[in-house]
Amino acid sequence: MVGKIIGLVSCLMCAFPFLIISVYNKDSREPINFWSGDTTLKSKVKNVVEYNKKMALLYKRCAIAFLISGIGFMVSP
């Protein structure tokens, strides 16, 4: 039972930052970076609003995948 709880907590801890990024940065004027500290996107991305919407959707899907994995830890025998 302890292993299931550790798996759930680990997946929730991974999902939480992805969810925060997807919710708070989707309307940002700066492009959402995939790699931390990457400053080259400012010159490469022309339509920042559309880019941020798609990146926010990607991060939200990653968060959902982690949530489903965490639930899977609790359900698995």
Side-chain angles (χ1 to χ4, degrees):
M1 183 66 184
V2 174
K4 293 181 180 184
I5 294 171
I6 291 172
L8 174 68
V9 170
S10 298
C11 287
L12 291 177
M13 287 174 59
C14 290
F16 191 65
F18 284 116
L19 195 61
I20 289 174
I21 290 171
S22 70
V23 170
Y24 288 112
N25 287 343
K26 70 178 177 182
D27 297 325
S28 176
R29 294 181 185 201
E30 299 287 324
I32 298 174
N33 295 327
F34 185 74
W35 298 106
S36 178
D38 184 18
T39 59
T40 61
L41 285 178
K42 291 180 184 179
S43 62
K44 293 178 183 177
V45 176
K46 303 295 182 207
N47 189 356
V48 175
V49 175
E50 190 66 30
Y51 174 80
N52 281 348
K53 284 182 184 179
K54 290 184 179 183
M55 284 300 288
L57 181 63
L58 173 71
Y59 278 119
K60 194 176 293 185
R61 287 179 180 170
C62 290
I64 290 170
F66 275 115
L67 289 174
I68 290 171
S69 297
I71 292 169
F73 274 113
M74 290 304 290
V75 175
S76 69

